Amino acid sequence: MLFIANAEGWPGIPTTVEMLRSGSDSLTAMVAGISKVEAETKVRSVGHGGWPNMLGVMECDAAVMDGTTREVGSVGAVPDTIPVARLAHEVMKQLPHVMLTGAGARRFATETGFSVDDVLLEDSKRVWWERLEQEMTPEQKAAFPNTPLAPLLKTITDPERVRDTTVYLSADPARGIHAATSTSGWAWKYPGRLGDSPIPGAGFYADSRYGAAACTHTGEMTMRCATSRTIVLAMKLGYSLSDAVKLAVDELSELTDGFLGGVVIHAVDAKGNHEVFNFRCQGEIRYWLWDDSMPEAELRAAKTI
């Protein structure tokens, strides 16, 4: 049994590891762990600790994928909901659809017993408004929110350059290979923006016959290249895990226009291997690794390309 997660997934690692160790269903274990991340206010890129969109509204995204059946549950731009990974799991289990977004996703959450959550922290609201004020003229401020947002979007930057996502991947010969993601998305994003996290093939993909991949940071790039699906398809075509990831990185590096930034790729294969690559992200990128020979998960450094 192999399990990897990005560094900010730390609040849920013990829960997921213990459940995997005890024989729980892999997706259930990963969703339980990610729910801990979503509730942890110290994690500033997911759930309750995340940042709002340009209008000061929290819109969260999440997804799960069963690599054995290739069933997917996904939710995007969900308001008033903290445990969105669990909501995505319910979409997969209960509906014939793959993805729900916005008000429809929130309606389904209510129908299935999810509470209506006050997601935005007061401190996040304060920082959001103070930063937005710096970009607005007095006229724009007086008219807000009835003012064009796109010109402001071009100058907004994250308070902590938060473009991260919580990604969990598990691989086991008996239980298959699966993926789960959750994020509050890019701080000060345009309302309704979806990143790669809820999009199959871009921010995540899993196929128990070959492997799985999930990405963090600049989702606009991985959506354009279908990065996660590229990695799994390359393994299907006979590439090693390392070569499959390098192929995906080559595709990302071919992008020369549009919004460009760094990407972190997390990947596992059906042979028990894993790779985590940092493509153009500043500083050291770390991730969590656990397998069933280890007493607890270890924090390791990603490779840099």
Side-chain angles (χ1 to χ4, degrees), residues 59 61 77 183-186 189-196 217-220 223:
E59 294 179 315
D61 311 327
T183 185
S184 60
W186 192 352
K189 60 190 175 184
Y190 199 95
R193 178 261 185 184
L194 291 181
D196 63 333
H217 290 71
T218 312
E220 277 69 12
M223 284 189 283

Side-chain angles (χ1 to χ4, degrees), residues 7-261:
E8 289 198 338
W10 59 267
I13 301 294
T15 295
T16 295
V17 166
E18 182 56 36
M19 291 180 68
L20 291 173
R21 199 195 307 271
S22 67
S24 295
D25 169 75
S26 300
L27 275 180
T28 300
M30 291 196 293
V31 167
I34 287 182
S35 294
K36 301 284 189 179
V37 185
E38 293 164 335
E40 176 53 69
T41 58
K42 294 178 183 177
V43 178
R44 302 314 308 267
S45 59
V46 176
H48 201 24
W51 297 100
N53 65 19
M54 291 283 285
L55 295 177
V57 177
M58 293 288 290
E59 294 179 315
C60 296
D61 311 327
V64 297
M65 183 166 187
D66 183 319
T68 303
T69 64
R70 280 174 282 171
E71 290 181 287
V72 173
S74 174
V75 293
V78 187
D80 305 323
T81 312
I82 292 175
V84 285
R86 186 160 60 88
L87 181 62
H89 200 196
E90 292 303 317
V91 170
M92 189 188 81
K93 292 188 292 184
Q94 297 193 40
L95 298 181
H97 308 309
V98 164
M99 180 185 289
L100 296 179
T101 62
R106 182 54 247 183
R107 180 187 178 104
F108 177 68
T110 299
E111 288 181 4
T112 50
F114 284 69
S115 63
V116 176
D117 299 325
D118 183 7
V119 184
L120 183 62
L121 293 173
E122 280 300 315
D123 184 64
S124 299
K125 183 178 181 179
R126 176 189 60 80
V127 174
W128 158 76
W129 182 247
E130 289 179 356
R131 184 65 184 87
L132 195 60
E133 279 187 304
Q134 297 175 27
E135 304 299 330
M136 291 192 292
T137 65
E139 293 76 18
Q140 288 173 321
K141 183 178 176 181
F144 190 85
N146 299 315
T147 188
L149 299 179
L152 300 176
L153 187 70
K154 294 178 181 178
T155 55
I156 287 293
T157 56
D158 295 345
E160 302 170 12
R161 295 193 64 81
V162 174
R163 295 191 189 120
D164 209 356
T165 298
T166 292
V167 296
Y168 279 19
L169 298 176
S170 65
D172 181 86
R175 287 179 277 185
I177 298 176
H178 313 294
T181 71
S182 182
T183 185
S184 60
W186 192 352
W188 289 281
K189 60 190 175 184
Y190 199 95
R193 178 261 185 184
L194 291 181
D196 63 333
S197 301
I199 299 178
F204 67 95
Y205 199 79
D207 187 323
S208 296
R209 298 170 296 177
Y210 310 109
C215 303
T216 68
H217 290 71
T218 312
E220 277 69 12
M221 294 173 65
T222 61
M223 284 189 283
R224 293 165 66 188
C225 293
T227 299
S228 293
R229 172 62 172 154
T230 290
I231 293 167
V232 177
L233 180 58
M235 289 190 284
K236 180 178 181 178
L237 296 175
Y239 284 68
S240 69
L241 175 60
S242 181
D243 287 343
V245 173
K246 289 176 182 176
L247 174 65
V249 168
D250 287 343
E251 289 188 336
L252 292 170
S253 67
E254 290 168 357
L255 300 177
T256 58
D257 299 303
F259 187 86
L260 303 177

